[in-house]
Amino acid sequence: MTTTPTSEQVTRAGGLLPTDPALRRATVLTAFNSLGNGLYFPLGVLYFTRIVGLDATSVGVGLTVAGLFGVAAGIPAGRAADRWGARQVGSLLWGGTGVATAMYTLVNSYAAFLAAVIVATALQMASRSVLGAVYADVLPAATRVEARAYLRMITNVGMGVGGALGAVALQVDTRAAYVTVILLNCLSFAAPAVLLRGLPLAPHALERERLTEDAPVADRWRAVRDLPYLSVTVLNAVLVMQYTLSEVGLPLWIVERTDAPRWTAALLMIVNCVLVALLQVRVARTASQVPSAVRAMGWAGLLLAVACAVYALSAGLSPVWAVLALTVGAVVQVFSEVLMAAGGWTLGYELADSRAHGVYQGVFGAGMSAGMMAGPALVTVTAIQHGTAGWAVLGVLFAVAGLAVAPAVRWASKDTWRGEPA
């Protein structure tokens, strides 16, 4: 008889790793990949501008174009996962991302840069969408959201350590240092691709395979016509924009609109990483069912609106008080972020057709990618250009999106097929 792991069994360390075998292996590949990504992120753009010699604006345009390809890649990747298996497709995508990233070291023109970055970004963003379907198959349904929160904590730690090591390469500032980091990042995709293929299926996935072996398959494209699910996806995408608020909006706001020292941007990033690592698993335990996930999303939107108001207050304050206001806003935003992440994971899984998790998670992942793509432009044309009025617009948008999740989920609950056993 197979027992379902309890919350403590899934996330409690057995030695240095969790006791659940699937989560243990997922922890290793997540740590490996996030360490490589953390190494690369601080110097990726600088490599193309300082070492390759490309214009910064052209690089920015190229990354935006690549992001659009990445958003478009999520849904067909999810469909492929439904047809050939999420672990197999995800493994190929991760391995392909590693190979495509290695091509960065050969770039010597803008055309070569554009080709390499489009392929690498499309494969990487597609793999993220498929990873949601992988987790649906390998993590126990009862503890899946908490396990994803644990993996997010591992991601934050790995990114932080990788970023610190990447700073060394930035200080050395030679082509050899940049290329070394790029190749290490390649390995952080290629090596986990092997681990991903070997992840053991959870009991519910094995049972579903047995029951549906001779049964008619689900409509594999239902997700792209599932209006209630799409509405939740869009609302989640709006709240996801808060990631770019931290990464793009706040650094620009600090430098252009406040008297806070520039190092405040680094301080806020550290505050975010530390608090997310401390809070995400605990918060996930409170949002693992649909009703609690809906409440979490509502609170996430309201707290994000409060954070926007506090950020707006930092303009015109003395340096000390500006730093204090920005830090308070960042702390409030962290609570919004962990609530949104937990609520989004739960709704993304629980409202999906369990027979077609690949395309459903592809749709949900594509929505998140679209939110991340739109975020920088939205923050710039609101808060950065219009100050307090712009922050007010953002705050209202986030609050409305969070509160609108409840009627969207009620709409979804009217579908009799939804909520089939996973």
Side-chain angles (χ1 to χ4, degrees):
M1 177 179 177
T2 303
T3 59
T4 301
T6 65
S7 175
E8 289 186 0
Q9 287 174 325
V10 168
T11 57
R12 184 184 61 211
L16 294 177
L17 297 173
T19 55
D20 179 70
L23 184 56
R24 186 186 308 126
R25 186 177 288 232
T27 298
V28 173
L29 67 88
T30 298
F32 204 98
N33 183 243
S34 59
L35 182 65
N37 288 340
L39 270 170
Y40 175 76
F41 282 165
L43 50 78
V45 174
L46 293 178
Y47 167 74
F48 292 114
T49 56
R50 290 179 58 79
I51 305 301
V52 179
L54 301 178
D55 175 69
T57 301
S58 298
V59 170
V61 171
L63 292 173
T64 300
V65 172
L68 293 174
F69 276 88
V71 172
I75 297 175
R79 175 65 183 90
D82 284 331
R83 183 168 184 179
W84 292 295
R87 293 171 300 167
Q88 290 73 20
V89 172
S91 178
L92 288 174
L93 289 171
W94 273 40
T97 303
V99 173
T101 303
M103 300 304 293
Y104 290 171
T105 63
L106 304 178
V107 169
N108 57 9
S109 67
Y110 188 69
F113 158 74
L114 202 58
V117 78
I118 285 175
V119 173
T121 302
L123 289 172
Q124 183 176 7
M125 294 176 75
S127 69
R128 289 176 182 171
S129 296
V130 172
L131 199 57
V134 172
Y135 290 149
D137 286 342
V138 305
L139 298 175
T143 53
R144 186 163 49 205
V145 171
E146 185 180 341
R148 290 207 62 174
Y150 175 81
L151 293 174
R152 185 164 187 249
M153 179 189 70
I154 297 298
T155 298
N156 272 37
V157 173
M159 290 284 291
V161 174
L165 296 175
V168 176
L170 284 175
Q171 187 64 31
V172 175
D173 198 33
T174 64
R175 180 180 181 85
Y178 284 88
V179 168
T180 298
V181 168
I182 291 172
L183 293 178
L184 288 173
N185 190 35
C186 295
L187 292 177
S188 80
F189 287 102
V194 178
L195 293 173
L196 190 66
R197 186 180 291 270
L199 284 170
L201 288 176
H204 70 268
L206 291 170
E207 180 67 10
R208 184 175 68 241
E209 282 190 354
R210 185 186 67 81
L211 292 175
T212 60
E213 192 172 29
D214 299 320
V217 298
D219 178 356
R220 297 304 191 186
W221 291 106
R222 172 183 276 174
V224 299
R225 300 190 301 274
D226 188 342
L227 294 183
Y229 192 86
L230 291 175
S231 68
V232 174
T233 297
V234 170
L235 295 173
N236 182 70
V238 172
L239 295 176
V240 161
M241 291 182 189
Q242 67 172 291
Y243 293 136
T244 55
L245 180 63
S246 297
E247 297 168 5
V248 178
L250 284 180
L252 290 174
W253 175 256
I254 289 167
V255 172
E256 297 184 12
R257 292 281 193 155
T258 78
D259 292 324
R262 293 185 178 185
W263 52 257
T264 306
L267 171 66
L268 300 186
M269 188 62 67
I270 292 171
V271 168
N272 180 278
C273 289
V274 171
L275 290 181
V276 168
L278 292 174
L279 296 174
Q280 187 65 81
V281 173
R282 292 180 175 87
V283 171
R285 292 170 183 161
T286 69
S288 59
Q289 303 296 324
V290 170
S292 57
V294 169
R295 290 192 295 271
M297 298 291 273
W299 277 110
L302 293 174
L303 287 172
L304 195 50
V306 171
C308 289
V310 177
Y311 291 145
L313 291 175
S314 64
L317 298 178
S318 67
V320 173
W321 284 103
V323 171
L324 180 60
L326 290 164
T327 304
V328 170
V331 171
V332 174
Q333 186 180 340
V334 165
F335 282 95
S336 168
E337 182 179 330
V338 294
L339 284 166
M340 177 212 67
W345 291 328
T346 296
L347 297 178
Y349 284 125
E350 296 300 323
L351 300 181
D353 185 339
S354 62
R355 298 165 298 175
H357 261 305
V359 71
Y360 267 87
Q361 299 313 312
V363 166
F364 204 72
M368 294 180 66
S369 297
M372 294 287 287
M373 284 290 301
L378 178 65
V379 172
T380 301
V381 300
T382 53
I384 306 305
Q385 291 187 7
H386 299 286
T388 300
W391 281 114
V393 171
L394 282 178
V396 171
L397 175 65
F398 291 137
V400 169
L403 295 174
V405 170
V409 171
R410 284 197 295 271
W411 182 18
S413 68
K414 295 178 181 179
D415 294 323
T416 57
W417 62 265
R418 207 180 298 276
E420 293 165 341

